[in-house]
Amino acid sequence: MKASRIAAAGAVSGIAVLALSAPAFAHVSVQPEGAAAKGGYATVNFKVPNERDNASTTKLEVNFPADHPLASVMPQPVPGWKAVVTKSKLDKPLESHGRQLTEVVSKVTWTAEGKGVEPGYFQKFPVSVGALPEDADELVFKAIQTYSNKEVVRWIEVPQEGQEEPEAPAPVLKLSAAEDDAHGASGAKADDDTEAAAQNTAADTAADTGSGDSSDTTARVLGVVGIVVGAAGVAYGVLAGRRRNTGASA
């Protein structure tokens, strides 16, 4: 009896530990596809696991950071879900690609058109974002998860470095170091190609010029030869005429 009681107490304790620690590993999170480099663009996935046994996730709201507004936010269509983009006015206009933006996306809301994320499953919600800030190491996206039984879980607590993860942490996107501008690299390559083409053109022009000089020289030589031959013919004709005249006189 004593042994069975100890075993039962241990099982209950284990279940309690799992129940208390569940939010720590089953919360809404955000991860980039590839790199999320400062100053660049990226596709990020908001991963939503369903951590309830008796309800489905039917709605997800993701709030975008107001301290680092993003000029471009485009959700990818997800089958079975309707996405609604909410924009807000900016206190200070944001410059993007040479134009001033007075409003940006502040929230994206996905609502299930069917059963949603059922127990035992998760769903990814991809979003294209940019340009990512150059003066930040991470972006915090506060999220709200709603279940089919009307339960609402707010993933809005900002994790603090050096402290334990909060019970309902907000999704945090870590930003990597800025990468070389792909357009700049292409531009440099184009400049190299242009320079090489210019050098080839110059070489061809020089070759053509050389050929022209050679042709002019040849023409001049032939002209001189022709003059010499012509003069020789005239001289021969004169001499022959004199000989005939001399013979006739004799």
Side-chain angles (χ1 to χ4, degrees), residues 44-141:
V44 299
N45 290 306
F46 292 95
K47 183 180 178 182
V48 182
N50 187 35
E51 54 187 14
R52 297 293 182 265
D53 296 330
N54 58 352
S56 298
T57 297
T58 56
K59 186 178 180 180
L60 173 69
E61 299 175 57
V62 175
N63 293 277
F64 287 75
D67 55 342
H68 293 290
L70 301 175
S72 176
V73 175
M74 294 185 291
Q76 179 177 319
V78 178
W81 293 80
K82 178 182 179 181
V84 175
V85 176
T86 302
K87 293 185 177 182
S88 298
K89 294 286 185 179
L90 290 173
D91 295 332
K92 181 180 179 181
L94 179 67
E95 185 172 348
S96 176
H97 300 291
R99 61 191 183 98
Q100 296 286 328
L101 299 179
T102 58
E103 62 178 12
V104 294
V105 173
S106 57
K107 181 172 68 173
V108 178
T109 304
W110 289 269
T111 304
E113 297 179 322
K115 295 181 179 180
V117 186
E118 298 183 80
Y121 292 87
F122 73 90
Q123 178 67 56
K124 288 183 179 180
F125 298 90
V127 182
S128 173
V129 296
L132 298 173
E134 298 180 0
D135 57 348
D137 295 324
E138 62 183 26
L139 292 178
V140 178
F141 301 87

Side-chain angles (χ1 to χ4, degrees), residues 1-246:
M1 284 293 293
K2 187 176 181 180
S4 61
R5 287 178 181 176
I6 293 174
V12 171
S13 299
I15 293 173
V17 170
L18 289 175
L20 291 174
S21 62
F25 62 83
H27 54 76
V28 175
S29 61
V30 59
Q31 293 293 332
E33 293 182 4
K38 298 179 181 179
Y41 287 75
T43 297
V44 299
N45 290 306
F46 292 95
K47 183 180 178 182
V48 182
N50 187 35
E51 54 187 14
R52 297 293 182 265
D53 296 330
N54 58 352
S56 298
T57 297
T58 56
K59 186 178 180 180
L60 173 69
E61 299 175 57
V62 175
N63 293 277
F64 287 75
D67 55 342
H68 293 290
L70 301 175
S72 176
V73 175
M74 294 185 291
Q76 179 177 319
V78 178
W81 293 80
K82 178 182 179 181
V84 175
V85 176
T86 302
K87 293 185 177 182
S88 298
K89 294 286 185 179
L90 290 173
D91 295 332
K92 181 180 179 181
L94 179 67
E95 185 172 348
S96 176
H97 300 291
R99 61 191 183 98
Q100 296 286 328
L101 299 179
T102 58
E103 62 178 12
V104 294
V105 173
S106 57
K107 181 172 68 173
V108 178
T109 304
W110 289 269
T111 304
E113 297 179 322
K115 295 181 179 180
V117 186
E118 298 183 80
Y121 292 87
F122 73 90
Q123 178 67 56
K124 288 183 179 180
F125 298 90
V127 182
S128 173
V129 296
L132 298 173
E134 298 180 0
D135 57 348
D137 295 324
E138 62 183 26
L139 292 178
V140 178
F141 301 87
K142 296 184 178 182
I144 300 175
Q145 183 179 13
T146 302
Y147 287 90
S148 57
N149 60 1
K150 308 304 180 182
E151 179 187 2
V152 175
V153 181
R154 301 178 183 276
W155 306 99
I156 60 175
E157 298 180 59
V158 181
Q160 301 296 328
E161 186 176 356
Q163 299 182 12
E164 293 184 1
E165 185 177 67
E167 184 177 351
V172 177
L173 176 66
K174 300 292 184 180
L175 303 181
S176 59
E179 297 178 347
D180 292 336
D181 188 350
H183 296 292
S186 299
K189 185 179 186 301
D191 292 341
D192 293 342
D193 292 343
T194 302
E195 183 178 355
Q199 292 177 352
N200 291 336
T201 301
D204 292 342
T205 302
D208 292 342
T209 303
S211 299
D213 293 342
S214 178
S215 299
D216 290 343
T217 302
T218 302
R220 289 173 184 174
V221 172
L222 291 176
V224 172
V225 172
I227 293 172
V228 172
V229 171
V234 171
Y236 178 79
V238 171
L239 290 175
R242 288 179 177 178
R243 287 177 182 175
R244 284 197 295 270
N245 292 334
T246 301

